[in-house]
Amino acid sequence: MAKILLVDDDPLLVRMYQKKLVNDGYDVQTSSDGEDALKSVAAFKPDLVLLDIMMPKKNGLEVLKELKANSATNGLPVILLTNVGGSDEDVERGLSLGAVAYLIKAGNRPDAVVAKVKEILAGYKRDEIPQVKAKISG
Amino acid sequence: MKIFSLRKKLLLIMFVAGILFALPVSLVTYNGVRKVLIKNYLASNQRAINEQIDESLAVYKQYEVFTKMLGTRTRVVEYLTVRSESRKLELDGIFNDYDSQDQNILSIYLMDPSGNALISTDRSFVGQNYSFREYFKEAIAGHPNISAAIGATSNLFGYYFSYPVSDKTGNIIGVLAVKVKDRAFNELLEKGDLFSKSKVMITDDYGVVIYSNYPDRYLTSLGPLSVEIQKLLNDSNRYLKKEIKPLQYNTIQNEITHYSEPKALLITDTVDKEEESIYVHKLGNLPFFLVAEYGLEDINSAVLATAVNSGIVLFSSILIVVTMLYFLTNFYVSRPLADISRTVEKLSSGDFSSKLKIVSNDEFGLLSQAVNQMSEKLSHFNIDLKNEVNRISSEVNIKNQELLDQQKAILNVLEDVEEEKQKADIQRLKYESLLSGIGEGIIATDSKTKIILLNPAAEKMLNYKAEEVIGKPLSEVIPIINSKKDVLPKEKRPVEMAAKLLKSFSVDSSSDYWYVGKNKTIPVVLNTSPVIRNGKLIGIIDVFRDITTEKEIDRMKDEFLSTASHELRTPLAAIDGIVAMIRQGEYGEISLEVRSALDDVNTASERLIRLVNDLLSLSRIQAGRLKYNLSCFDYNKIVLDTFDFYKPVIEKKGLTFQVKGSSKRQVCGDVDKIKQILSNLLSNSLKFTEKGSIEIEVSEKDQMVITLVKDTGIGISKEDQNKLFGKFQQVGKQTDAKSGTGLGLHLSREMIRKMGGEIWVESSQPDKGSVFAFSLPEKDSLLQKKSQKDIEKEAAAHPDQKFDKMEKMGGGVI
């Protein structure tokens, strides 16, 4: 069972995505701010992170930067969640920092989000990226 | 008083005029004579050269005929057909006989078709291969040839005459060649008088000198040889790869390589700066040219002598004429004048008694008569003078009075003018108060765009006192910048353009113009107009308004829209997502009744999402903040992509769907937006068509690619057609499920116009169906270039442009 960390400060959306992911058989934990997210990554050791950009305490891009700077977590696939009004520059920066994909929250129903999660995880399994594989088997 | 008499003056004038006349006459004579002489000289030289050429040609002809005679001899043909030793010996003998008869013949030899010399009167030739030689190449190709070259075996210069040997059937089976000493021709040249008078050169067809009476010119070229020619020379080994230095006759070289007819050229030698006449003459149809060079020193000296002679003759004539004039004027002018002057002198000293003797019947006679009469009159006049003086002095008194009166009149006029001025002042005050009352800033300039007026509103907005800027150029004192602080170049400023083009220019709030005042910068809208009186520019009026508040409101509106959309979209996404999940059974089984209610919730939420999306697009478009990602592409691909996407849905509804026509043209624009426009039309058709077909048709017209979307749906009435492209327009009766936001066609039109196209209703009839059409300009057409420029301009003015991210549902994966 793959472990997903869902990070967003909007409880409504968190509950919605969590329900869908759990229904589809994922082990899901949630965080509502950046600092908490980093702690959860260390404790929960997820296989994939869904990461909102605009958040209190530490924003998504800062979290992403720290994840990529840490050798223990730099192979962890991160999908950015962004708002409609969010800036293109943030998305571009996120992708250049090493996020594997981005999703516009308002434009994607929960099933589309899960489909993307499946796609990314499958891709990582296929490509057998060592760090990720280690995470999955561990 | 010292007198420089009239006579002497006359003489001097005559003398100078004579010289002035003689000089140009001499010059004209000089040039005229020179032309005639040169012409004669050239003609006589031409004759000599023609004769020389005829003689030389006769000699060439002689050897040409000789070579042909040998080349067509039966024995030669027979030997080449059957190469028996006996025939070879026989031929060898024949060749030797001919060779010994003419000492100018260097050798006679016969080559097989590969260029190997089989028989030769010069033994050293036998066994050599000459296939690289031009004369061989030409002859083996069937053309008898004459060329000049240095022998590869003998190292001797000579002329090569070649002739193709053919068998009875006409096949070329070998080449016969005769090499002739160049002396055979040169002797002739040396005998003629051409040699004594000129520098003569014989050159080949490339301008390489192969003979000259100036030996140092041998194997030089008239001008530099092109790389191409150097290669040809090397390949054929014409001059054994000897170095060929260029002379300085580039013109002549050019004349040879582009020869059309014999020519005589006058050129100035670049070395000694002397004029020379040079002849270029082709030797018949042979690849040789005769170049003869004549100096023009003889002619020049002959001409000079003629000119000097004519000058001397003229000068002497002038001297004689002047001398004669001297005596004539003395007799007819000077003496009578001296008499008259003496008499007049007496008159002036008050002696009215002396009389002149009237001697001649010419003007001097008349003058003497007149002087006599005057002297008589003067004696009477003297008496009347005193009375007259008295009369005049009384008149002067009267005149003085008149002057005083005039002065008074002028003073009155001046007072009137002052009054007028006061009236004008009042008028001016009225205008000034009018100007100061106006809220808009007004700057007036003269025709040179120097400030002449600044109204109080303008003073306040720009923080300048009028007197600080009046008289200074507007473009320098008050620069225009944009929000990025780039200064607008002077020539692009409305005031300068108005002065130059005599047209009004307006800048509206969508532009980014800021006036820079004193320690103050304000965003402005402005209108600049030239003032023209009687067709002449007399000044420019610049009216502007500070739009700081508008800008602020604009910014707040954008901010509000962005925030509102975010705030609306997040809960909407939650509603939409959760409803979808409930309907999919993620929260457990649901009853049919609940499902039907949720379907309605879903429809409503989808509609709300679309509305928010369209509103966002609209506000972006209006603010010029919708980003266009321009590229040029194959239009068919866009159509087919969209077709593939819609095919399943349309066919699911039981409608047929097809694409007709295609365009090979490239169109330019934003692919996503064009797809969005086409999709919008297709989904409208799908929405309003229950049976029949939907069709896309692509065609080309002028420089446009036209796309038609045809359906057999409910159609639109004439009056509704006009409203279709407005904001929030929905026509016809609608069921809830079908209703759109009413912005789709409006947005489509805004976007397609931006990309240089247009969208319209081609035809529509209620219950029959509709045809919608849109056009896009093809790549590199005027419209396309203009729209691209406009889009780029807008992008530059709005660095914060964004794509509509809603268009890209589903995000992306790298």
Side-chain angles (χ1 to χ4, degrees), chain B residues 522-536:
Chain B
I522 51 165
V524 291
V525 292
L526 55 90
N527 181 290
T528 307
S529 308
V531 182
I532 298 163
R533 289 277 174 278
N534 303 326
K536 242 185 86 184

Side-chain angles (χ1 to χ4, degrees), chain B residues 28 187 190 194 197 344 359 383 488 507 520 585 735 749:
Chain B
V28 169
E187 257 175 359
E190 285 163 17
L194 202 58
K197 284 185 182 167
V344 174
V359 281
I383 303 158
L488 189 73
V507 167
K520 198 179 172 191
T735 58
R749 188 175 68 176

Side-chain angles (χ1 to χ4, degrees), chain A residues 34-92:
Chain A
E35 277 175 12
D36 188 51
L38 284 170
K39 281 181 203 153
S40 297
V41 168
F44 178 55
K45 301 200 190 316
D47 298 313
L48 183 142
V49 180
L50 282 162
L51 185 62
D52 187 21
I53 294 182
M54 291 212 290
M55 279 189 307
K57 294 190 185 170
K58 243 184 195 133
N59 74 28
L61 293 177
E62 288 169 312
V63 173
L64 180 61
K65 219 194 246 171
E66 286 191 33
L67 288 177
K68 292 293 157 187
N70 184 343
S71 64
T73 54
N74 69 355
L76 177 59
V78 174
I79 300 178
L80 289 175
L81 296 174
T82 151
N83 292 310
V84 179
S87 71
D88 290 340
E89 292 84 71
D90 282 352
V91 171
E92 272 162 34

Side-chain angles (χ1 to χ4, degrees), chain A residues 10 12-13 15-17 19-20 23-24 54 82-88 91 95 99-111 116 119-120, chain B residues 562 565-566 569-571 573-574 576-578 580-581 583-587 602 606 609 616 620 627 801-803 805-806 808-814:
Chain A
D10 187 331
L12 211 62
L13 291 178
R15 277 210 297 278
M16 178 175 81
Y17 290 132
K19 173 77 180 167
K20 179 65 185 164
N23 281 5
D24 283 30
M54 291 212 290
T82 151
N83 292 310
V84 179
S87 71
D88 290 340
V91 171
L95 292 176
V100 287
Y102 73 94
L103 288 167
I104 300 162
K105 284 188 278 186
N108 289 279
R109 283 184 177 160
D111 48 357
K116 178 70 71 187
E119 183 191 326
I120 302 290
Chain B
S562 164
S565 70
H566 177 220
R569 292 288 277 120
T570 312
D576 189 59
I578 292 165
M581 279 168 67
R583 287 167 72 223
Q584 284 160 2
E586 302 275 353
Y587 290 90
N602 183 47
E606 275 180 353
I609 289 169
L616 258 176
R620 287 234 174 88
K627 192 164 174 179
Q801 273 190 343
K802 273 183 194 147
F803 290 111
K805 266 198 255 159
M806 258 86 60
K808 299 197 271 177
M809 294 286 221
V813 181
I814 48 162

